[in-house]
Amino acid sequence: EKNVIDIRASNLQDLMEQAHGMEVDMDGNMRTLNLDNVDFNRIEKDWRTQFLTVITDPSVAYILMLIGIYGLILEFYNPGMGVPGVVGGISLLLGLYALQMLPISFVGLGLMLLGIALMVVEAFAPSFGIFGLGGAAAFVVGSIMLMDTDVPGYQIAMPLIAAVAVSTFVIMVFVLRMALQSRKAVVVSGAEGMVGSSAIATEDFTEEGHVRAWGEMWKATTDSPVQKGDRLRITSINGLKLTVTPEDQS
């Protein structure tokens, strides 16, 4: 209907038979195609071409870039793991190589990088979700805008972007929840963390003596008589001296 198709053929041989004798315009000169008894020479793709065909798929390039970025973030967050850094570096380079062969929007790419930067800031300096959720939103919008073309087949699959958006949101909620729990958690280290824990009397004493707490010897005071081996409860700390009471009285 739109005059963009000259022949509809079921196979290559059918195409040659229908095209035989057609007249075509070649640089202003009309030529007649002679396709009788044509020999076919099929050229197969080599491994390099097949590999490039796979990684230059927009969705595959997008996934490679995500693996690379999150792998490097994990390596920076836990130095010495090795595997995330190596896999992330290789994946990121492959993803960037594939993207430079595709019609991408640098605005979309910039939004994605901004979103990743904000999420990294949220991981290292929690802001109760402001940076994290803002980064997730920028990343999703950038993903939608990444391909700067309307040609079919050059768009990132929307289900993939939706899956990344949901997983990123879940991760941000988890990080935010962990940050809130850490602020509410009771101190379990240092002198404050010893209050309420147990100690063992290393000698008999009535007012002041020595106890073992947290693997160390401490001076301790008490209002009740204590015998060697009694389990005691630490009620307070004053400098380098503990105040204890027998556990059966605490």
Side-chain angles (χ1 to χ4, degrees), residues 6-159:
D6 294 320
I7 298 174
R8 299 183 64 179
S10 57
N11 52 51
L12 186 58
Q13 184 63 42
D14 184 24
L15 174 63
M16 295 298 103
E17 291 176 356
Q18 294 188 52
H20 179 67
M22 288 184 59
E23 291 187 350
V24 295
D25 185 357
M26 300 181 64
D27 297 329
N29 298 319
M30 298 303 296
R31 302 291 181 88
T32 301
L33 298 179
N34 182 8
L35 303 177
D36 192 19
N37 298 322
V38 173
D39 294 329
F40 299 107
N41 183 17
R42 185 180 297 274
I43 301 176
E44 300 291 343
K45 295 180 181 178
D46 59 9
W47 68 268
R48 182 178 181 275
T49 304
Q50 292 177 346
F51 177 71
L52 292 177
T53 301
V54 172
I55 67 172
T56 51
D57 180 278
S59 295
V60 175
Y62 181 71
I63 293 174
L64 285 172
M65 192 170 65
L66 289 180
I67 294 174
I69 291 170
Y70 285 115
L72 292 178
I73 291 175
L74 182 59
E75 182 67 30
F76 291 147
Y77 196 71
N78 298 280
M81 294 183 67
V83 175
V86 173
V87 174
I90 294 174
S91 299
L92 183 60
L93 290 176
L94 289 175
L96 292 176
Y97 176 79
L99 287 178
Q100 63 93 23
M101 301 179 67
L102 297 170
I104 65 171
S105 167
F106 289 101
V107 174
L109 182 61
L111 281 172
M112 290 179 62
L113 295 177
L114 174 62
I116 292 168
L118 291 175
M119 287 187 284
V120 171
V121 171
E122 180 67 35
F124 287 94
S127 61
F128 298 98
I130 297 176
F131 289 142
L133 295 178
F139 187 85
V140 172
V141 173
S143 299
I144 297 173
M145 298 173 57
L146 184 60
M147 291 295 111
D148 188 20
T149 179
D150 294 328
V151 177
Y154 277 90
Q155 298 297 326
I156 299 174
M158 289 304 297

Side-chain angles (χ1 to χ4, degrees), residues 209-223:
H210 290 86
V211 300
R212 180 175 294 277
W214 288 37
E216 298 176 338
M217 294 295 295
W218 290 77
K219 284 186 177 181
T221 60
T222 182
D223 295 333

